[in-house]
């Protein structure tokens, strides 16, 4: 899974870099690529964005600085344009384009972009939640600030995939508190990482995508499952269908939480 996500991010970044270089000869000044273009440069997609995917986006601090280049859309940005210098152009840093995208995409997309930028993979990880939150909260009066402030409580770092970020958002919105992504558990002779979990309650959520349909992967998953059970963990397996039928999914979570609270309480009494 990690290698697949890394390859996809690298391909996305390489593709947008090629498009950037194509327009450079037609621009009078060194452009500062931003918004959706910068999101893709940093290896993330922007699903459900209202911005046209075939257009390159740049930011300027003054209206008269707007370029008139075909295929390039300019945006006035009054906040600090923290940038990264590449070969002949600049691109805004991840925390900047995250704030810029707030007015152009729904809350869940903002959460996914932040998770991609702060994922567990050190190659794909390009910033931290502290930097994302710090930049957005320090700016005054930009379009989308309210949405940024609304989604900050749902942001989670150290994920491996967008589905984990969506699951964490779902759990927080339904009152179960902030979970931990990829919590490390020591097993017999090896370690494992739990997609999303509440370590204090020993409740883990494992997202079951097509990746887990491979026979060898299924064997590894079952061995991991059995080892975790021996250590008192309860595993809840999650698929897309669970989000389509949230009432049943929420019942399962609630029952599991109550059982683990009871068991943990008994253990404390016995000790």
């Amino acid at each position: 899974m990690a290698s697949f996500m890394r390859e996809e991010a690298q391909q996305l970044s390489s593709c947008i870099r090629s498009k950037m270089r194509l327009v450079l000869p037609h621009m009078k000044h060194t452009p500062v690529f931003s918004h959706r273009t910068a999101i893709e440069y940093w290896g993330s997609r922007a699903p459900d964005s209202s911005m046209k995917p075939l257009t390159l986006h740049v930011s300027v601090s003054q209206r008269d600085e707007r370029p008139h280049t075909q295929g390039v859309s300019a945006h006035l940005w009054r906040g600090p344009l923290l940038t990264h210098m590449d070969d002949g152009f600049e691109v805004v840093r991840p925390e900047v384009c995250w704030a810029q995208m707030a007015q152009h995409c729904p809350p869940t997309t903002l959460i996914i972009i932040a998770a991609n930028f702060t994922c567990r993979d050190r190659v794909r990880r390009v910033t931290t939640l502290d930097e994302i939150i710090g930049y957005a909260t320090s700016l005054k009066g930009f379009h989308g600030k309210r949405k940024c402030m609304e989604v900050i409580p749902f942001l989670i770092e150290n994920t491996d995939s967008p589905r984990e970020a969506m699951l964490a958002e779902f759990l927080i919105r339904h009152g179960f508190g902030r979970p931990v992504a990829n919590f490390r558990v020591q097993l017999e002779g090896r370690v494992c990482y739990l997609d999303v979990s509440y370590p204090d309650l020993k409740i883990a959520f494992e997202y079951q995508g097509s990746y887990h349909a491979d026979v060898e992967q299924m064997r590894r998953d079952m061995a991991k499952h059995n080892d975790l059970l021996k250590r008192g963990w309860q595993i809840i397996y999650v698929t897309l269908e669970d989000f389509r039928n949230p009432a049943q999914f929420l019942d399962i979570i609630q029952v599991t939480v109550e059982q683990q609270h009871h068991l943990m309480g008994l253990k404390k009494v016995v000790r």
Side-chain angles (χ1 to χ4, degrees):
M1 172 63 77
S3 61
F4 171 78
M5 296 294 295
R6 183 183 299 176
E7 182 179 347
E8 183 181 48
Q10 290 172 340
Q11 288 177 350
L12 188 63
S13 181
S14 177
C15 181
I16 201 67
R17 277 188 173 97
S18 297
K19 293 178 181 178
M20 291 170 167
R21 293 190 180 99
L22 284 175
V23 301
L24 288 181
H26 307 287
M27 305 190 77
K28 293 182 179 180
H29 306 289
T30 301
V32 178
F33 290 104
S34 61
H35 294 76
R36 181 172 184 149
T37 304
I39 294 289
E40 294 180 2
Y41 176 92
W42 293 113
S44 178
R45 295 191 182 278
D48 303 319
S49 167
S50 62
M51 305 189 89
K52 297 179 180 179
L54 298 180
T55 301
L56 293 176
H57 300 273
V58 299
S59 280
V60 297
S61 56
Q62 301 294 332
R63 293 185 186 277
D64 58 6
E65 296 174 353
R66 292 182 175 183
H68 300 283
T69 305
Q70 186 175 2
V72 177
S73 179
H75 306 268
L76 188 64
W77 186 253
R78 298 297 191 187
L81 281 173
L82 310 180
T83 64
H84 167 75
M85 191 69 189
D86 205 318
D87 186 17
F89 61 86
E90 292 181 75
V91 59
V92 298
R93 284 199 40 80
E95 56 269 28
V96 180
C97 58
W98 185 82
Q100 291 176 330
M101 288 301 290
Q103 71 173 122
H104 301 287
C105 59
T108 296
T109 297
L110 268 187
I111 292 168
I112 289 172
I113 292 171
N116 287 340
F117 284 167
T118 62
C119 65
R120 183 163 66 111
D121 184 352
R122 292 184 179 180
V123 174
R124 291 195 296 124
R125 187 183 181 100
V126 292
T127 188
T128 66
L129 276 189
D130 285 344
E131 289 174 321
I132 288 174
I133 294 170
Y135 183 82
T137 54
S138 68
L139 296 185
K140 295 181 180 180
F142 68 94
H143 292 296
K145 175 155 186 174
R146 178 179 295 180
K147 191 184 296 180
C148 286
M149 298 302 102
E150 288 173 353
V151 303
I152 282 175
F154 304 99
L155 301 184
I156 185 170
E157 58 187 339
N158 211 39
T159 61
D160 281 339
S161 72
R163 297 299 181 191
E164 294 173 11
M166 291 171 63
L167 174 58
E169 179 195 2
F170 179 88
L171 293 169
I172 297 169
R173 285 194 185 279
H174 287 88
F176 293 102
R178 181 183 296 276
V180 177
N182 285 295
F183 182 71
R184 185 179 186 272
V185 178
Q186 180 69 51
L187 302 177
E188 294 178 6
R190 63 191 180 98
V191 297
C192 76
Y193 295 88
L194 306 174
D195 288 351
V196 175
S197 66
Y198 293 102
D200 290 347
L201 286 176
K202 287 193 171 184
I203 297 174
F205 298 83
E206 293 284 284
Y207 193 85
Q208 297 298 100
S210 57
Y211 166 75
H212 293 272
D214 176 76
V215 174
E216 282 303 315
Q217 184 60 43
M218 289 176 64
R219 288 174 180 166
R220 288 192 291 269
D221 288 343
M222 289 309 300
K224 171 182 172 181
H225 175 93
N226 291 334
D227 280 348
L228 288 168
L229 286 181
K230 288 191 293 185
R231 287 161 175 76
W233 284 85
Q234 286 296 317
I235 317 300
I236 298 175
Y237 291 100
V238 187
T239 68
L240 272 178
E241 191 60 34
D242 292 309
F243 296 104
R244 298 189 184 107
N245 185 16
Q248 181 177 336
F249 185 37
L250 287 168
D251 285 344
I252 293 171
I253 298 171
Q254 187 60 49
V255 168
T256 305
V257 167
E258 291 172 358
Q259 289 176 342
Q260 288 299 93
H261 265 299
H262 180 65
L263 289 173
M264 301 297 249
L266 285 179
K267 286 184 179 180
K268 290 178 182 178
V269 171
V270 172
R271 289 177 183 174

